[in-house]
Amino acid sequence: MSTRRRIVVGISGASGAVLGIRALELLRDAGVETHLVISQSGRATIGQETDRTVAEVLALASYTYSDNDLGAAISSGSFRTDGMLVAPCSVKTLSGIANSYDENLLVRAADVTLKERRRLVLLLRETPLHAGHIRLMGQATESGAIIMPPLPAFYTRPQSVADIIDHSIARALDLLDIRSGDTERWNGWKSFDHRAPVPVGHNGSTVVDGPR
C-alpha cells in the first residue's frame, strides 16, 4: 500500500486565488498527491487576479475534478485522504460547509472530510465580518473545521507579498501535518537593550520599537 500523502485542495471564488495556487506548488514540491476542485467563481477569479490560466493551475495537481461532478472519487468517504484545504474560502463556500449544503463538489468534498473526522482547513477571505459570518464560522468549527484567515505574520519581517503568501500557506499546511519549504518560525523575542532610552514622539507619546 502506498504511504504517499493525499490532500484535497479546493479553490473557491474569494479573492486570493494565489493562495490555492501556491498551496498546490508547495504540496507538489513536498511529494504530496493532490486532488483539486475549483468552483466556477474560482475559475473566474484566477483569470482576474493572476497571470495563470485555469489549465495551468489544473496542471499543478495530481488529479482534477469538475465542480459539478458529484460522483467524483473525493465525494465519498471511502476514498481515503489525509485532509482538505480550501484556499481561498469564500463566505458562500463557508456557508455551504457550515450547513452541509452539498450543491457542488467542493462543498461535498469538505463535508465528507468532516464526516470522516479528517482535518479541514478553511482560509477564509472576507473582511469586515458581520454577525452572520461569525455564526457560520462557529458552526463550521463545531463540526470540526479549522478557520484560518490568511493573516500576515510580521515577526518574519516579510519583504514581499510572496513572502506573506508563503508563510500563510506553510502555516496552513502545518495544520495538515505537512512540512513545506524553509518557513521561518517563531523562536522567541529577539534580544534588545531594555535599558536604552525610550524615544519620544513629536506629541509627547512614547515610541516603542520592540517587545511591549
Side-chain angles (χ1 to χ4, degrees):
M1 179 181 291
S2 174
T3 59
R4 189 183 184 192
R5 303 293 303 280
R6 178 186 283 171
I7 296 293
V8 179
V9 177
I11 298 178
S12 76
S15 180
V18 67
L19 295 164
I21 294 171
R22 189 58 178 146
L24 288 167
E25 291 173 338
L26 291 177
L27 286 166
R28 178 196 59 192
D29 294 346
V32 176
E33 179 181 301
T34 51
H35 292 254
L36 172 64
V37 55
I38 307 174
S39 72
Q40 290 301 312
S41 295
R43 290 170 176 261
T45 304
I46 287 170
Q48 288 289 319
E49 295 185 347
T50 79
D51 294 326
R52 307 284 190 107
T53 65
V54 172
E56 289 171 336
V57 176
L58 292 171
L60 295 172
S62 308
Y63 300 90
T64 62
Y65 308 89
S66 165
D67 197 29
N68 297 318
D69 185 6
L70 291 174
I74 58 175
S75 71
S76 173
S78 65
F79 184 76
R80 298 295 301 271
T81 73
D82 296 294
M84 180 173 179
L85 172 68
V86 182
C89 180
S90 66
V91 166
K92 179 181 178 180
T93 297
L94 170 66
S95 180
I97 294 169
N99 292 288
S100 301
Y101 187 62
D102 301 351
E103 67 169 348
N104 58 45
L105 181 60
L106 198 164
V107 174
R108 172 59 185 171
D111 199 28
V112 165
T113 301
L114 292 177
K115 79 181 184 69
E116 298 296 327
R117 305 302 191 269
R118 300 167 187 159
R119 192 66 61 88
L120 173 65
V121 181
L122 307 178
L123 269 60
L124 182 67
R125 284 283 290 113
E126 188 63 76
T127 189
L129 301 168
H130 61 57
H133 299 149
I134 295 169
R135 281 194 292 270
L136 289 171
M137 287 191 284
Q139 288 175 236
T141 300
E142 288 173 355
S143 295
I146 297 175
I147 309 296
M148 183 191 159
L151 302 176
F154 292 106
Y155 64 81
T156 62
R157 300 194 178 188
Q159 301 300 303
S160 65
V161 173
D163 288 345
I164 293 172
I165 292 168
D166 280 358
H167 189 268
S168 295
I169 295 302
R171 290 290 291 116
L173 296 184
D174 278 352
L175 295 172
L176 293 166
D177 198 27
I178 295 172
R179 301 294 179 265
S180 61
D182 299 320
T183 302
E184 184 175 349
R185 298 178 183 278
W186 177 253
N187 287 310
W189 293 112
K190 297 182 185 297
S191 61
F192 75 107
D193 186 357
H194 64 277
R195 297 167 299 178
V198 176
V200 176
H202 70 277
N203 60 355
S205 62
T206 301
V207 178
V208 178
D209 183 15
R212 299 187 179 187

